[in-house]
């Protein structure tokens, strides 16, 4: 995806002339509402991404999502996704059981990690990097947050 800066870039090698990356990536419609709804339930919410942990935190903070998130893990922490150990370590950090955890992801690797880690389910989403055929291992596929029903089980 190509983004344009609102002001001309004077020196292409000067990173400070570029707008911060986290101001350019749009938040998927419905994300804030979904995170708010999840915060009302007795569940934990984590973001595990292929970006670095500091970048994920900057993006979440800039978009007012960080207060709803209980854990953040990026590719700068090993093992990283799709290694199931990544999933298990995040579950342990949050105090949740992998078999009671749902993975929501936009890539084949997310679904492979959910399956190999013994997650309760892997839900594929079509708003990220993948097309439907890229997440064919998912237990379900949704196009919008509104298609998910959030319910906690004791």
């Amino acid at each position: 995806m190509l983004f344009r800066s609102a002001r001309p870039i004077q020196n292409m090698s000067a990173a400070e002339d570029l707008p911060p990356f986290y101001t350019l990536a749009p938040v998927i419609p419905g994300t804030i509402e979904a995170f708010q709804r999840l915060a009302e339930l007795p569940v934990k919410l984590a973001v595990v991404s292929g970006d670095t942990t500091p970048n994920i935190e900057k993006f979440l903070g800039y978009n007012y999502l960080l207060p709803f998130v209980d854990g953040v893990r990026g590719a700068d922490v090993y093992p990283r996704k799709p290694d199931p150990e990544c999933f298990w370590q995040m579950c342990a950090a949050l105090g949740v059981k992998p078999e009671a955890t749902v993975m929501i992801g936009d890539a084949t690797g997310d679904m492979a990690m959910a399956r190999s880690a013994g997650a309760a389910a892997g839900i594929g989403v079509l708003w990220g990097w993948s097309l439907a055929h890229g997440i064919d291992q998912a237990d379900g596929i949704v196009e919008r947050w509104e298609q998910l029903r959030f319910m906690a089980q004791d």
Side-chain angles (χ1 to χ4, degrees):
M1 183 177 284
L2 178 64
F3 297 100
R4 292 182 176 230
S5 174
R7 62 187 174 98
I9 297 173
Q10 303 300 320
N11 177 352
M12 289 301 287
S13 64
E16 63 273 1
D17 283 341
L18 297 173
F21 72 93
Y22 51 88
T23 65
L24 300 175
V27 174
I28 304 305
T31 300
I32 294 173
E33 295 81 2
F35 278 34
Q36 289 172 330
R37 175 68 181 112
L38 287 166
E40 295 169 358
L41 298 172
V43 299
K44 302 285 184 165
L45 176 63
V47 175
V48 179
S49 173
D51 204 341
T52 66
T53 303
N55 283 350
I56 300 164
E57 290 172 340
K58 287 177 186 175
F59 173 82
L60 293 170
Y62 180 79
N63 291 289
Y64 307 103
L65 296 168
L66 194 55
F68 303 111
V69 177
D70 300 297
V72 177
R73 183 181 177 119
D76 53 325
V77 179
Y78 290 89
R80 54 187 169 195
K81 64 181 200 172
D83 188 323
E85 186 65 34
C86 172
F87 185 86
W88 295 327
Q89 287 180 8
M90 180 55 79
C91 287
L94 297 176
V96 299
K97 297 177 182 176
E99 64 273 13
T101 302
V102 174
M103 170 82 171
I104 300 173
D106 64 0
T108 303
D110 297 332
M111 298 307 105
M113 182 170 70
R115 190 166 302 274
S116 64
I123 306 296
V125 298
L126 300 181
W127 57 69
W129 301 102
S130 297
L131 300 174
H133 69 272
I135 51 176
D136 56 357
Q137 294 180 21
D139 295 304
I141 297 176
V142 297
E143 295 177 354
R144 299 177 317 281
W145 279 109
E146 295 81 18
Q147 293 176 289
L148 293 170
R149 294 196 191 277
F150 300 118
M151 297 175 287
Q153 290 182 346
D154 293 327

